[in-house]
Structure formats: structure tokens, C-alpha cells
Amino acid sequence: MRAVIIGNTRLNYSWFCLTHRQGLKLNGWEVLEIDYKSNSLQTIKKRIIDYKPNVVYTHLSFHSNINSVNDVLQMFKEIKNKIEVKIVHSCGDARTHDRYMGDLRGCFDIAFVGTYPMVRNCQKAFKVPVFYSPYSSLVYEKMADFASDLAFNDPVFTGSPGAHRTGWKDDRAGFIEKLQKQISIKIFQTQSNNDLRHRTPELSVSAKLVLCLCVGYEIDGFIDVRPFQYLGTGACCVIRKFMNMDRFIPDDLYWPIFGYTNNDIKKIKEYHKKSLKENTFGMRKKAFNYIQQNHSSKIRIKKELDIISQM
């Protein structure tokens, strides 16, 4: 069986591309990746038709700053007229509506989205089947070896600390700034020279505490990449809890906060002291095993492929 992934394949660390590539290959599929940003729609169409895949996964289709949505829809319609293939739209973002809310019949066969409001709203708009499918973890057979150069006693935050500045109670950027005034934090900026995402397994087992400070927690069903990324590699995590998160990730696998308030800063300081004093290996190992057994890329993609095969 053959699959095509259309996405930001030249990005150093696209979670969509990483998990879909790995999940498909671990389920025995051959995979061709096509970069959406650097190839014309004509080139993408030709490569897909020549490859003759069974399934095409894409997640940038409705970013109108890259290509006109109408042109993208026309491309997939022409592909489906040439070869027998299932076209799959994916959107794992913290959204209630997609960037495009229109009829996808004849262009797409199915969509997988990362929130329950999107399932309801997109089902009506797309007029094709829409299913809930949250992010997943990369597959690891075991936790990584300890790395002394990543053995940080200070809490670690990976990402863009200045992003998601709102000025309201959900202001993550403002919260991180306040937190830094009260406690030292190791920050590793995404897409910078000190980006550590390629060493996630080693960082997770070596750092005392990883801060999973996210957004989108008020949208039912949404769970950011970080809980899967870090719990799935055995980190001791503080997680800003998401709505109904317990449906998918038990709360004994991490230390929760429930907002971005002064009380939550106090709670993180307490968790930090706890991480320095206590042996957290039991919680780390339990988190690693649970995520790998329930939310790995292999398992998530297998569920999606089973749904696609029944169409």
C-alpha cells in the first residue's frame, strides 16, 4: 500500500509529517512526501498521479496564503478523476472551525480533526465524513539514556515564549514573563540555534521538570503536541490542563495547573521543589508506557487507516 504526505516536509520538525510518516511506515505502508510550499500545484498533481497512491494525507490545503483554496480543490478533483485514491484532510489545530468551511465532495473523501467542535461544524460544512483524531506520540521502544548535558535542575520550556500574547487570562506569553521573574527557567526557542526538539527523548529523561504551557485548553477535545511529545518520552511534566483531558490522559501521569494566574505560578514553584526532592521515575515510566500503548503514531494512524478502508 502506498501513501503520499503533502505538508511542510522541509520544516526541521513538522509534527504532522513526523508522526504520519512514522505511523504509516510502521503499519507497513510505503510513503512519498511532497513539500507543499516549494512545489507548484501542477507538480504536486503530477507526482501524485505518477505515484498512484492509495491514500493522500494533506494538512496545509486551506492555508490561502500558500495557494488559493479553489485551486487546491480543483487539483484534488482532477487527481481523483485520473486515479483511484482517497484524499484525506487533516487539521489538528486548536480551532472550532477550519480555515475553509465549504463543500469538499468530489475533492476530499474524509477529514480528521483535533477538536469536537470541529467535528460537528466541519461535518455540516464539508459534507464528507469527519472524525476526531488528536495528536500522537512518536514511537519509542524504551526511554532514552540519561544525557548529562541536558540534566537541568531548572524547569525547561521549549517553544516560542513570546507567542500567544493576548493580554487576557489566557496570555501564555505574559504568564511565562511573570514566571521568569520568580523562578529561573531554561528556555529553548523553537526554530532557533538552541532548538532541542531533535533531542526530546534525552531531554525528557534528563531534565528534572518540563513545562507544557500551551493554548487551546478551552476547546473540547484539543490536546497540544507537548503532552504526547514529552509524556511519551518519559518526562516529568507540569501541564496546563486541557478541557476533558482525563478522557485521554490520566491525571496521575503529570502535575497539573489549571490557569495562568499567580496561584499557578505558586503551584509551579512547588512542583519544581518537588521535582528536586522526589524520585519521579515511577511517574515518568508510567507516563511513557501509557502514551506509547495508547497514543503512539502507529496506533493513531492504524485507527485512521481502518476508518478509511471502510469507506
Side-chain angles (χ1 to χ4, degrees):
M1 303 291 280
R2 290 181 166 189
V4 167
I5 295 172
I6 306 174
N8 203 354
T9 62
R10 294 190 176 185
L11 186 67
N12 289 337
Y13 212 90
S14 164
W15 200 253
F16 169 81
C17 293
L18 284 173
T19 52
H20 280 70
R21 177 198 309 135
Q22 184 190 65
L24 285 163
K25 288 185 176 181
L26 290 176
N27 279 285
W29 285 55
E30 296 180 19
V31 179
L32 171 68
E33 295 181 64
I34 303 175
D35 186 69
Y36 186 65
K37 291 187 174 181
S38 63
N39 286 286
S40 68
L41 293 181
Q42 193 64 30
T43 298
I44 293 172
K45 182 176 76 170
K46 183 178 186 308
R47 293 189 67 187
I48 291 173
I49 291 173
D50 289 346
Y51 190 66
K52 294 180 175 61
N54 304 92
V55 172
V56 172
Y57 272 98
T58 177
H59 81 123
L60 294 175
S61 302
F62 304 151
H63 287 63
S64 58
N65 61 314
I66 305 174
N67 286 299
S68 158
V69 173
N70 287 335
D71 290 346
V72 171
L73 296 177
Q74 182 62 32
M75 176 190 71
F76 284 126
K77 184 175 183 179
E78 291 174 4
I79 289 171
K80 289 183 66 62
N81 286 336
K82 284 283 187 180
I83 61 174
E84 186 175 341
V85 61
K86 294 289 193 301
I87 308 292
V88 181
H89 170 62
S90 297
C91 181
D93 297 346
R95 307 177 69 91
T96 59
H97 296 74
D98 212 321
R99 292 170 178 84
Y100 172 78
M101 296 292 286
D103 192 337
L104 299 186
R105 289 175 297 181
C107 308
F108 285 85
D109 296 278
I110 189 172
F112 292 105
V113 298
T115 76
Y116 288 119
M118 279 194 74
V119 173
R120 294 190 295 270
N121 295 326
C122 292
Q123 185 83 56
K124 296 175 183 177
F126 291 171
K127 302 188 187 323
V128 300
V130 179
F131 293 88
Y132 174 71
S133 188
Y135 288 116
S136 62
S137 168
L138 290 171
V139 173
Y140 298 98
E141 292 184 2
K142 63 179 183 178
M143 291 167 64
D145 294 331
F146 181 85
S148 58
D149 63 319
L150 300 178
F152 305 115
N153 286 329
D154 293 338
V156 172
F157 173 80
T158 63
S160 301
H164 306 295
R165 185 181 300 280
T166 66
W168 299 90
K169 64 179 181 179
D170 61 345
D171 189 337
R172 188 189 73 175
F175 179 77
I176 292 174
E177 288 176 356
K178 290 180 182 178
L179 184 62
Q180 284 180 290
K181 293 177 180 178
Q182 298 196 36
I183 189 173
S184 177
I185 304 173
K186 287 282 186 183
I187 293 181
F188 295 94
Q189 175 82 35
T190 300
Q191 300 297 321
S192 72
N193 291 334
N194 73 345
D195 192 335
L196 275 183
R197 286 178 297 178
H198 64 291
R199 297 189 69 191
T200 292
E202 293 80 13
L203 176 65
S204 292
V205 300
S206 306
K208 289 291 186 181
L209 190 64
V210 175
L211 302 177
C212 295
L213 306 177
C214 314
V215 295
Y217 47 79
E218 76 288 355
I219 302 177
D220 193 11
F222 179 72
I223 303 177
D224 186 77
V225 167
R226 287 179 182 85
F228 300 108
Q229 177 184 3
Y230 287 107
L231 294 178
T233 46
C236 176
C237 295
V238 170
I239 297 178
R240 193 331 182 166
K241 197 158 185 172
F242 294 88
M243 181 185 290
N244 295 317
M245 185 174 172
D246 294 349
R247 295 176 187 166
F248 308 100
I249 302 177
D251 58 9
D252 61 345
L253 304 182
Y254 61 92
W255 293 332
I257 60 172
F258 298 90
Y260 288 149
T261 68
N262 290 334
N263 285 335
D264 295 296
I265 290 177
K266 180 181 178 181
K267 199 68 180 174
I268 288 176
K269 291 167 71 175
E270 292 173 358
Y271 287 144
H272 178 227
K273 291 177 182 178
K274 191 175 180 180
S275 73
L276 298 175
K277 293 178 180 179
E278 296 186 6
N279 183 344
T280 58
F281 180 77
M283 183 172 72
R284 293 167 179 268
K285 184 65 175 176
K286 188 176 181 180
F288 174 84
N289 288 338
Y290 182 85
I291 297 297
Q292 290 298 322
Q293 291 167 9
N294 294 278
H295 297 294
S296 73
S297 65
K298 182 178 181 180
I299 291 169
R300 187 78 79 243
I301 295 300
K302 173 67 164 57
K303 290 180 179 178
E304 293 185 4
L305 293 173
D306 286 346
I307 292 171
I308 295 169
S309 70
Q310 295 172 19
M311 296 184 60

